[in-house]
Amino acid sequence: MQIQTITTQPYNDQNPGTSGLRKKVKVFQQKGYLENFVQAIFDSLEGYTGKSLVLGGDGRYFNRVAIQTIIKIAAANGFGELIIGQGGLLSTPAASHVIRKYGAFGGLILSASHNPGGPNEDFGIKYNVSNGGPAPEKDTGAFYQRSLVIDNYKTAVMDDVDLDCIGSQEIDGLKITIIDPVNDYAELMQSIFDFNLLKQSISSGYITLMFDAMSAITGPYAKRILIDMLGAPADSVINGTPLEDFGGHHPDPNLAHAHELAEKMFSDSAPVFGAASDGDGDRNMITGSQIFVTPSDSLAIMAANAHLIPAYAKGLSGVARSMPTSQAVDRVAASYKIPCYETPTGWKFFGNLLDAGKITLCGEESFGTGSNHVREKDGLWAVLFWLNLIAQRRQSVADIVHEHWQKFGRDIYCRHDYEAVETPIANSIVDNLRKQLPELPGQVFGDYTVKFADEFCYEDSVDGSISKNQGIRIGFENGSRIVFRLSGTGTVGATLRIYLEKYEPDASLHNQDAQIALAFLIDLAEQLCEVKKLTGRTAPDVIT
Ligand code: VG1
Ligand code: CO
């Protein structure tokens, strides 16, 4: 194999965020930009010579070009085998599974997840380690440090690989295997859930459903599993063809962006169950006829009912949630007497807990839930979990949710996002909040007395690593919380996220609208951070 060493100039902005490096496509198209970052990753890793690397992405614009570039750099750096999803496609959870199943050294996932795609939109790249999960902070920190000083990259002189033809070939000692992106994942789902029960429930018409793939990666997965394997009617999957620009939409599964599904679920002709997934297939939105299930509630309900699912019949070793996720799952853990861990935002923090067997199930308020079956959050897995639950309990989504609230109380929850705020303003908002922290405990605001106010710092109980500055938390005596943090996945300015929650034990007050129930906390959050005042905005860009 002929290998070239190309001289390059470093870029100073290749610091991975919450989930990999995300930038505008135009940034990735700069000379050597992608090459530098990939070489910086390989330079920071050890022991991969002759081993295999998994490659795949969510099919967004630039996916195919990037894969060809990466193939040549990986070949030149001495990998022995590249396992690539056909067409360059792999959903994030499927990539995680493929890494684990084939014992790969690691994988590169090309995605900017819920961010929009297209020539003027976003692209991203993320390295996952051999457990199938996102690289921990010590690795991503090393990639960044290396990227700041890199002065050359290696690339193999070879033709582009045919990404569409399934099978293995050998090029100068490098094995290249193109796999069906769905097969292994579908098999895994079959091993977790009761497919026979699901088939019966769907074919008998007991469960009707609509799944919105948002013109993103889950289309082929949902069609294979929901339609081909479980017998759902063909029109149950909408927007099921992956498009490079997601049809011009944000592939972000929430009521604002999955509006086609949302309208259906709140109409007279709503099916029993509705769900959506994001650009790379790791997020999920769960709805039922006339009801939206918040991701935090979904996690708690899954934890409370996991024993009804074949793979979790023996119960859960423990659960975890990201810090801003509501405390609903904590109540389930307390009642089941299992541990509950609070981690920083981002799936990479669950990996050690899953590997150590300390938790079985975990989730985030940002429409992400998952378990120890892979090391990423998993959108379709969550969909199948809920379908299995409905089939097993023979209850509607609304009944399952209301019963859960009756038993555990309701954690009324919402998140307000202020997007593309000018970075200096966003930073000053956080600095001002930080300054107020020492004064806040003991202060009384209406019925709310501040119990604690701090900046979340996480110590990993498995490897002892410390992650600082993971968001500002203000907790009240009555269990309510306000959390502020800046997003680590955006590509324009800064996004301020404000998370609000209030515990309501009284069942007669469970059917309140979250915005109304949380109105006092919403006003208090503005009083503390002044985002509206400082940006001149009147409302958040997105409410979830
Ligand atoms: C957001 C979510 C976080 C999630 C991350 C990646 O990060 O808040 O919970 O893990 O996206 O999700 P941030 O830093 O923007 O708040 V995905 O589906 O975009 O890979
Ligand atoms: Co995603």
Side-chain angles (χ1 to χ4, degrees):
M1 181 175 294
Q2 194 194 334
I3 293 166
Q4 288 180 331
T5 301
I6 312 283
T7 306
T8 186
Q9 299 288 325
Y11 289 87
N12 65 4
D13 64 347
Q14 300 194 321
N15 193 8
T18 312
S19 183
L21 183 70
R22 293 186 192 176
K23 300 282 175 195
K24 290 283 170 210
V25 167
K26 293 260 182 320
V27 173
F28 269 103
Q29 285 169 329
Q30 295 172 93
K31 187 161 186 261
Y33 194 91
L34 173 67
E35 292 86 343
N36 279 13
F37 190 63
V38 173
Q39 185 67 53
I41 293 174
F42 295 158
D43 286 350
S44 312
L45 302 171
E46 274 171 19
Y48 55 76
T49 305
K51 305 234 168 97
S52 51
L53 180 75
V54 172
L55 267 182
D58 63 11
R60 68 179 59 222
Y61 184 83
F62 200 55
N63 194 58
R64 278 180 179 262
V65 177
I67 288 202
Q68 297 293 354
T69 302
I70 296 169
I71 290 173
K72 290 165 193 152
I73 300 176
N77 279 275
F79 278 95
E81 181 181 12
L82 303 178
I83 303 172
I84 308 170
Q86 187 184 27
L89 299 178
L90 276 175
S91 78
T92 292
S96 182
H97 177 54
V98 168
I99 293 171
R100 294 165 68 77
K101 179 169 175 180
Y102 296 103
F105 182 82
L108 283 168
I109 302 178
L110 307 177
S111 169
S113 189
H114 58 288
N115 299 12
N120 298 311
E121 296 296 349
D122 294 352
F123 190 74
I125 175 166
K126 180 167 82 164
Y127 180 73
N128 280 30
V129 295
S130 61
N131 75 353
E137 280 195 325
K138 71 168 170 36
D139 290 337
T140 55
F143 305 160
Y144 176 47
Q145 291 308 322
R146 179 66 195 149
S147 76
L148 291 171
V149 295
I150 194 160
D151 58 10
N152 68 72
Y153 63 86
K154 291 198 210 87
T155 184
V157 180
M158 59 191 268
D159 290 337
D160 277 0
V161 170
D162 178 356
L163 298 175
D164 299 308
C165 182
I166 288 180
S168 286
Q169 53 172 310
E170 204 148 310
I171 304 175
D172 292 340
L174 170 71
K175 189 172 172 196
I176 294 187
T177 305
I178 308 289
I179 58 166
D180 179 286
V182 182
N183 279 354
D184 296 309
Y185 179 83
E187 222 172 73
L188 176 66
M189 293 302 111
Q190 212 166 1
S191 74
I192 296 174
F193 301 105
D194 189 341
F195 268 40
N196 285 333
L197 174 68
L198 285 174
K199 245 190 275 180
Q200 279 166 22
S201 306
I202 291 171
S203 67
S204 67
Y206 178 71
I207 295 182
T208 49
L209 68 117
M210 177 180 265
F211 178 81
D212 187 350
M214 304 194 83
S215 307
I217 188 74
T218 42
Y221 293 84
K223 284 182 187 165
R224 175 86 64 84
I225 295 171
L226 300 174
I227 299 173
D228 300 348
M229 296 169 84
L230 297 176
D235 60 0
S236 312
V237 175
I238 61 167
N239 300 313
T241 305
L243 301 175
E244 286 198 330
D245 67 350
F246 311 117
H249 300 294
H250 284 239
D252 195 353
N254 56 44
L255 291 176
H257 292 303
H259 56 88
E260 196 177 340
L261 174 77
E263 274 155 32
K264 182 80 177 170
M265 297 312 295
F266 287 92
S267 74
D268 290 344
S269 61
V272 168
F273 178 80
S277 189
D278 72 333
D280 61 332
D282 56 358
R283 295 187 179 205
N284 70 88
M285 174 173 79
I286 301 296
T287 65
S289 175
Q290 322 304 323
I291 187 170
F292 161 72
V293 187
T294 70
S296 295
D297 279 346
S298 176
L299 173 64
I301 292 167
M302 288 166 127
N305 293 281
H307 56 279
L308 300 175
I309 307 293
Y312 313 105
K314 294 200 177 104
L316 307 173
S317 63
V319 291
R321 62 164 169 82
S322 68
M323 183 272 283
T325 303
S326 96
Q327 298 159 88
V329 73
D330 304 35
R331 300 180 205 288
V332 176
S335 140
Y336 286 18
K337 299 192 171 53
I338 54 172
C340 177
Y341 297 85
E342 184 177 44
T343 57
T345 294
W347 212 261
K348 56 181 175 260
F349 296 102
F350 294 131
N352 278 347
L353 297 171
L354 290 164
D355 283 353
K358 291 186 169 208
I359 59 168
T360 314
L361 209 73
C362 46
E364 298 192 274
E365 52 64 44
S366 54
F367 299 83
T369 26
S371 86
N372 58 357
H373 68 291
V374 288
R375 292 293 179 275
E376 290 278 7
K377 53 188 185 269
D378 190 344
L380 264 174
W381 167 87
V383 168
L384 292 166
F385 195 118
W386 268 92
L387 287 171
N388 203 152
L389 211 60
I390 296 166
Q392 189 74 37
R393 287 186 44 161
R394 294 195 75 79
Q395 276 179 307
S396 68
V397 174
D399 285 349
I400 292 174
V401 172
H402 292 139
E403 245 180 51
H404 184 89
W405 289 345
Q406 269 161 24
K407 187 162 175 203
F408 295 96
R410 176 180 174 194
D411 291 85
I412 304 177
Y413 187 85
C414 80
R415 178 176 113 183
H416 287 193
D417 290 340
Y418 291 83
E419 293 177 345
V421 174
E422 284 172 52
T423 306
I425 296 184
N427 288 337
S428 76
I429 288 175
V430 174
D431 287 344
N432 286 337
L433 284 166
R434 201 172 274 140
K435 281 193 202 123
Q436 296 175 58
L437 293 177
E439 315 294 322
L440 283 172
Q443 280 200 42
V444 181
F445 301 93
D447 297 338
Y448 296 79
T449 305
V450 178
K451 188 176 177 189
F452 66 90
D454 63 11
E455 197 160 13
F456 185 49
C457 174
Y458 177 66
E459 182 177 346
D460 185 303
S461 62
V462 178
D463 66 14
S465 60
I466 307 262
S467 302
K468 292 185 184 154
N469 303 338
Q470 297 297 325
I472 288 183
R473 326 185 271 188
I474 300 170
F476 300 89
E477 296 286 357
N478 59 13
S480 301
R481 286 194 314 168
I482 305 177
V483 172
F484 302 89
R485 58 177 285 284
L486 295 182
S487 155
T489 56
T491 59
V492 186
T495 293
L496 176 70
R497 304 202 195 285
I498 306 177
Y499 311 80
L500 307 130
E501 77 178 285
K502 172 185 167 180
Y503 180 58
E504 183 53 78
D506 182 351
S508 71
L509 298 173
H510 283 166
N511 284 324
Q512 297 178 76
D513 178 90
Q515 300 311 307
I516 295 168
L518 295 167
F520 185 84
L521 287 175
I522 292 169
D523 284 347
L524 179 56
E526 172 61 20
Q527 193 182 317
L528 295 168
C529 81
E530 298 191 315
V531 59
K532 286 187 190 139
K533 190 173 156 200
L534 294 167
T535 59
R537 301 187 190 191
T538 52
D541 297 280
V542 182
I543 298 180
T544 47

